[in-house]
Amino acid sequence: MNTISSILRRAIKNDKPANVLTFFYNGRFDIELAKTGHQFYGILNLSCYDWPAIKKIQADNLHYILPEHVHDIDYDLILINHRTQNQDTIRQICTGLQVPTLMIDHDYNIENAYTIFAKRQSTPFTSISTLDAITKQMGSNYTIPYGIQKLEPKEKDIDVLVTGSFLKEDYHVLNNIAQRFKNCRIVGKNPGFEKSEHIDSYEEYLDLFARSKIYVNLATQFNIPHDLLWAYGSGCAVVTTTTVVTQEFLKHGVNCLTEGSFEGINDMIDTLLKDDKQRQSLVSNSSELLTQFDYNKFLQSWTDIINDYRYRPFTHENISQ
């Protein structure tokens, strides 16, 4: 692809799916973006994260390409999901292709915003919150709340589901859960922890949520774990640690049971397994989150953004430090 063909491709607006060069974020986000119907191309070895729970992410419009073939495709847009990994190489690719470049922030903490590819004032900001104050302070073009996909209900034949990758020093937390609750599934990349497993496909992964009575969120470093949103969309009762952001919508005793440390998690799980009424109450009360995190709005917002940015001119400011 050369600069002239890139310009000509964007000269006339059309309804065809955009070709989007991206650097796959963590699977969860990428598989949701794929549902916009555009074609996404990710460069092998330049993805920001892998998805430790699933062996391979697959969708008809998610394509993996080798670095030497990056120039073989006419792109409409470059979508960068993360600012810290492979930054020099990614910047060189963006400059060479001269395609409109969209930088996304997934970080809620505006005091710790990265400034590698674009100035904060011109960077779209993706987070749970739609507060005007955050949008104004960031100078954002868009603020998009995450969406919760409602899954088809299934028979709840799994008592406890835990997902994620953990530090080895925290394996004892997983082991305590697995020892106490025999009908438990622990899914993620946890080398050396024999009870942890990988799942073959995205569909099988979501199926675990639909079949689980209780989802246990042990994440402490992520603002809004996608798995937590899937749990709410699957009718799971949620037992969770809390972060600053999740406290905005997690209400202890209303739509979840929250615990500030790992030590009290098992007792909360035990309480819900023994009390069907309380468990169902948490599930029923969480239904309002499906409205707050409107999944269709999430997809439509991303469709609108891609259709907007694909026709913008390339400028070096898109990728400046």
Side-chain angles (χ1 to χ4, degrees):
M1 186 191 78
N2 56 48
T3 303
I4 295 176
S5 65
S6 173
I7 294 173
L8 292 175
R9 181 177 175 85
R10 300 194 308 275
I12 301 175
K13 294 187 176 182
N14 59 70
D15 295 328
K16 294 181 180 179
N19 288 338
V20 182
L21 175 64
T22 188
F23 305 92
F24 292 137
Y25 182 56
N26 66 0
R28 300 168 177 86
F29 187 72
D30 303 316
I31 204 72
E32 301 299 340
L33 278 186
K35 294 175 184 177
T36 62
H38 297 288
Q39 300 293 322
F40 295 88
Y41 297 85
I43 304 174
L44 288 173
N45 303 323
L46 278 183
S47 296
C48 295
Y49 292 109
D50 60 0
W51 193 358
I54 298 178
K55 293 179 181 178
K56 187 173 183 180
I57 296 298
Q58 291 182 318
D60 290 341
N61 56 336
L62 288 181
H63 311 282
Y64 296 88
I65 57 177
L66 296 173
E68 57 265 31
H69 295 304
V70 68
H71 292 88
D72 294 349
I73 298 165
D74 287 338
Y75 302 106
D76 299 288
L77 179 69
I78 299 174
L79 184 64
I80 302 171
N81 276 306
H82 201 270
R83 295 172 181 258
T84 58
Q85 298 195 19
N86 303 308
Q87 51 192 269
D88 292 335
T89 302
I90 291 175
R91 188 182 296 111
Q92 290 174 5
I93 291 172
C94 294
T95 302
L97 291 173
Q98 297 199 12
V99 172
T101 302
L102 177 61
M103 179 73 227
I104 307 168
D105 278 315
H106 294 262
D107 194 351
Y108 179 85
N109 183 359
I110 58 178
E111 297 301 323
N112 192 34
Y114 301 107
T115 54
I116 292 174
F117 288 97
K119 298 177 181 178
R120 287 200 311 180
Q121 288 72 23
S122 60
T123 300
F125 184 75
T126 305
S127 76
I128 173 184
S129 181
T130 56
L131 295 177
D132 289 340
I134 292 179
T135 303
K136 291 177 181 177
Q137 186 164 350
M138 288 296 295
S140 304
N141 300 89
Y142 299 94
T143 302
I144 306 175
Y146 288 110
I148 297 179
Q149 180 182 11
K150 185 173 177 57
L151 303 180
E152 290 295 324
K154 293 190 176 182
E155 180 184 353
K156 299 289 187 179
D157 59 353
I158 300 171
D159 285 342
V160 182
L161 175 64
V162 184
T163 62
S165 298
F166 299 88
L167 299 174
K168 288 188 176 181
E169 51 264 37
D170 292 329
Y171 281 4
H172 70 281
V173 179
L174 299 179
N175 191 59
N176 288 341
I177 293 175
Q179 290 291 334
R180 187 164 174 178
F181 307 103
K182 301 304 181 183
N183 186 15
C184 173
R185 301 285 293 272
I186 298 175
V187 182
K189 185 184 291 184
N190 298 292
F193 187 71
E194 62 181 19
K195 296 184 173 86
S196 183
E197 58 183 303
H198 284 188
I199 301 300
D200 288 333
S201 70
Y202 169 75
E203 290 74 20
E204 290 179 58
Y205 191 63
L206 293 187
D207 184 67
L208 290 178
F209 287 86
R211 293 166 49 202
S212 297
K213 296 176 183 176
I214 297 171
Y215 176 72
V216 180
N217 172 48
L218 299 175
T220 58
Q221 298 181 1
F222 295 96
N223 292 323
I224 309 175
H226 282 75
D227 289 11
L228 179 62
L229 301 185
W230 280 336
Y232 277 117
S234 306
C236 300
V238 171
V239 175
T240 180
T241 53
T242 60
T243 65
V244 173
V245 178
T246 56
Q247 286 175 358
E248 290 189 9
F249 65 95
L250 296 181
K251 307 298 180 185
H252 177 71
V254 179
N255 55 24
C256 68
L257 295 184
T258 61
E259 175 58 46
S261 65
F262 293 143
E263 285 71 20
I265 291 289
N266 284 354
D267 290 338
M268 290 184 173
I269 297 171
D270 190 56
T271 295
L272 291 181
L273 286 177
K274 292 177 178 177
D275 191 339
D276 291 347
K277 185 176 181 179
Q278 184 181 12
R279 191 172 70 246
Q280 289 304 318
S281 176
L282 295 181
V283 173
S284 298
N285 291 338
S286 65
S287 61
E288 65 181 54
L289 293 175
L290 296 176
T291 301
Q292 180 179 353
F293 296 95
D294 189 309
Y295 187 70
N296 291 327
K297 184 177 180 180
F298 169 83
L299 291 181
Q300 187 59 54
S301 294
W302 273 111
T303 299
D304 293 343
I305 286 175
I306 292 172
N307 287 336
D308 176 6
Y309 269 78
R310 66 188 289 191
Y311 296 112
R312 294 193 180 193
F314 169 83
T315 64
H316 285 280
E317 187 180 64
N318 293 136
I319 55 174
S320 61
Q321 290 195 27

